[in-house]
């Protein structure tokens, strides 16, 4: 078995990967887009001509950066991630591809047929007290019934990260998107909607907590986002993506999976594993639950505490990553290294000096489980985006790549 492993990992790649230009789709905590050259330099040191498995693909930025230079298996336990990655490496245009105007016109037509429960004119003159009253009234829609199917965001999220009107647009575009589920451009439609949600949201780009207008300054800032048009942001991004995606299917057999990392590794037939697991105790399912709900559109039960729906309106059942739990993180990394060994793959592991486990511990685990591979750690100074506000926007960290090669 060791001889087979050595043979498989000595096949040299035909060329080095270089970072390609790719459109941004969502705001994403911990994105490697700003250090992608560093990530690809590590991958180039260990890869061969077999596929690259992006084990925790997140925003899909690795797929975007690689372009069509290598076959990519994009995996993430969260369903929205697969659509982001598919936009980069599987979506394409054909004669059946709808235009941006066609999609927004269809959504607008749906909205014309909807009976509005609340009408709000977000003018600059709206008083502080009136604004907060409107916000409370919109949040109360959670307790009301709707007489049509596509109402999930209007019911669950009005008056939170988005206004009622913005939620109506989210629901309407999502309804239109469903008609293209089996069309090659579906990932681009959904990614454009996720983009619109991110840039019209009154939050910081994630959905852990929406902001309350507790001060006049906050009121003024939130009002700016309440005026933003979901339809216009969607249309702008979708038009950009139509220029970006090709007019024919890709020849490379890219694929996306929604698997637990252990299951993904057990089905990976070997190549290079790029692993960028969570670094700290916060779960991504808490920060991006709204995107997961958008994609699944499954009307989930919302989390209850002390008899009330929690402010974040989280899904009751959310993925809890062992990489975010101190008592489980070491075992999770052991499972990861074991999966790499069993699939006869090379490994590039992103982590930092502020993670749940030290770099020295990671190296020790790797040396124990992969004794026949040469392990090396590369580091770079990096300003990590926290998605916070003001004083907590960035933190200086030492980003590391642990390389395991034959």
């Amino acid at each position: 078995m060791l001889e087979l492993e050595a043979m498989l990992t000595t096949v040299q790649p035909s060329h080095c990967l270089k970072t390609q230009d790719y459109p941004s789709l969502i705001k994403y905590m911990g994105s490697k887009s700003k250090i992608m050259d560093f990530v690809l330099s590590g991958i180039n040191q260990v890869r061969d001509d077999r596929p690259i498995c992006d084990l925790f693909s997140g925003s899909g930025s690795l797929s975007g950066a690689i372009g069509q230079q290598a076959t990519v298996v994009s995996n993430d336990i969260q369903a929205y991630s697969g659509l982001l990655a598919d936009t980069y490496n599987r979506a394409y245009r054909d004669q059946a591809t709808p235009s941006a105007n066609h999609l927004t016109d269809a959504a607008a037509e749906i909205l014309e047929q909807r009976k509005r429960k609340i009408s709000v004119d977000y003018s600059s003159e709206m008083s502080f007290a009136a604004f907060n009253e409107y916000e409370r009234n919109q949040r109360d829609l959670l307790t009301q019934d709707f007489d049509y199917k596509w109402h999930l965001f209007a019911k669950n999220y009005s008056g939170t990260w988005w206004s009622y009107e913005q939620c109506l647009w989210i629901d309407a575009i999502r309804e239109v998107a469903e008609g293209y589920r089996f069309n090659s451009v579906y990932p681009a439609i959904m990614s454009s909607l996720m983009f619109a949600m991110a840039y019209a949201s009154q939050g910081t780009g994630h959905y852990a907590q929406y902001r309350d207008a507790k001060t006049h300054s906050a009121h003024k800032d939130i009002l700016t986002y309440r005026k933003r048009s979901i339809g216009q942001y969607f249309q702008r991004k979708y038009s950009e993506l139509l220029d970006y995606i090709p007019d024919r299917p890709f020849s490379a057999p890219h694929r996306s999976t929604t698997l637990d990392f252990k299951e993904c590794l057990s089905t990976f037939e070997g190549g290079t594993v790029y692993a960028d697991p969570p670094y700290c105790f916060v779960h991504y399912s808490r920060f991006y639950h709204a995107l997961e709900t958008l994609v699944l559109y499954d009307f989930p039960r919302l989390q209850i505490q002390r008899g009330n729906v929690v402010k974040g309106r989280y899904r009751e059942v959310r993925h809890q990553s062992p990489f975010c739990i101190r008592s489980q993180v070491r075992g999770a990394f052991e499972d990861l290294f074991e999966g790499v060994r069993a699939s006869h793959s090379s490994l590039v592991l992103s982590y930092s000096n502020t993670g749940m486990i030290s770099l020295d511990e990671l190296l020790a685990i790797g040396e124990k489980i992969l004794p026949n591979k040469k392990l090396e750690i590369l580091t770079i100074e990096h300003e990590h985006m926290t998605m916070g506000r003001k004083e907590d926007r960035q933190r200086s960290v030492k980003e590391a790549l642990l390389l395991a090669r034959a």
Side-chain angles (χ1 to χ4, degrees), residues 258-284:
T258 310
L259 302 172
D260 175 81
F261 77 96
K262 291 183 288 184
E263 185 178 357
C264 179
L265 288 172
S266 71
T267 61
F268 185 50
E269 296 179 354
T272 301
V273 173
Y274 173 64
D276 183 21
Y279 292 0
C280 57
F281 64 90
V282 292
H283 295 275
Y284 275 65

Side-chain angles (χ1 to χ4, degrees), residues 11 18 46 75 99 104 136 147 153 271 314 361 394:
V11 180
K18 296 182 180 178
V46 303
N75 178 74
S99 67
T104 52
R136 286 191 295 271
D147 59 2
F153 274 74
Y314 308 124
E361 288 178 277
Q394 296 180 327

Side-chain angles (χ1 to χ4, degrees), residues 279 351-359 379-382 396-400:
Y279 292 0
Y351 212 59
S352 84
N353 63 332
T354 60
M356 296 285 287
I357 190 172
S358 72
L359 296 177
T379 61
I380 187 174
E381 298 296 327
H382 177 51
S396 296
V397 301
K398 182 176 290 185
E399 281 285 339

Side-chain angles (χ1 to χ4, degrees), residues 43 47 50-57 62-63 66 70-76 255 257 259-261 263-276 336 340 343 345-349:
I43 292 175
R47 69 177 284 260
R50 294 178 295 160
I52 296 172
C53 175
D54 189 1
L55 194 58
F56 306 91
S57 59
L62 183 65
S63 290
I66 290 177
T71 298
V72 180
V73 176
S74 298
N75 178 74
D76 200 287
R255 59 190 176 92
T257 55
L259 302 172
D260 175 81
F261 77 96
E263 185 178 357
C264 179
L265 288 172
S266 71
T267 61
F268 185 50
E269 296 179 354
T272 301
V273 173
Y274 173 64
D276 183 21
L336 194 159
V340 169
S343 66
S345 297
S346 296
L347 172 67
V348 177
L349 171 63

Side-chain angles (χ1 to χ4, degrees), residues 17 25 33 35 64 112 117-118 125 147-148 157 211 244 246 257 278 280 290 299 341 352 355 366 370-371:
L17 303 174
L25 299 178
S33 58
I35 58 169
E112 284 297 316
K117 290 177 177 285
I118 295 172
E125 291 74 33
D147 59 2
Y148 58 91
Y157 298 111
R211 292 184 295 157
Y244 169 78
T257 55
C280 57
F299 292 87
R341 181 193 61 77
S352 84
L370 304 172

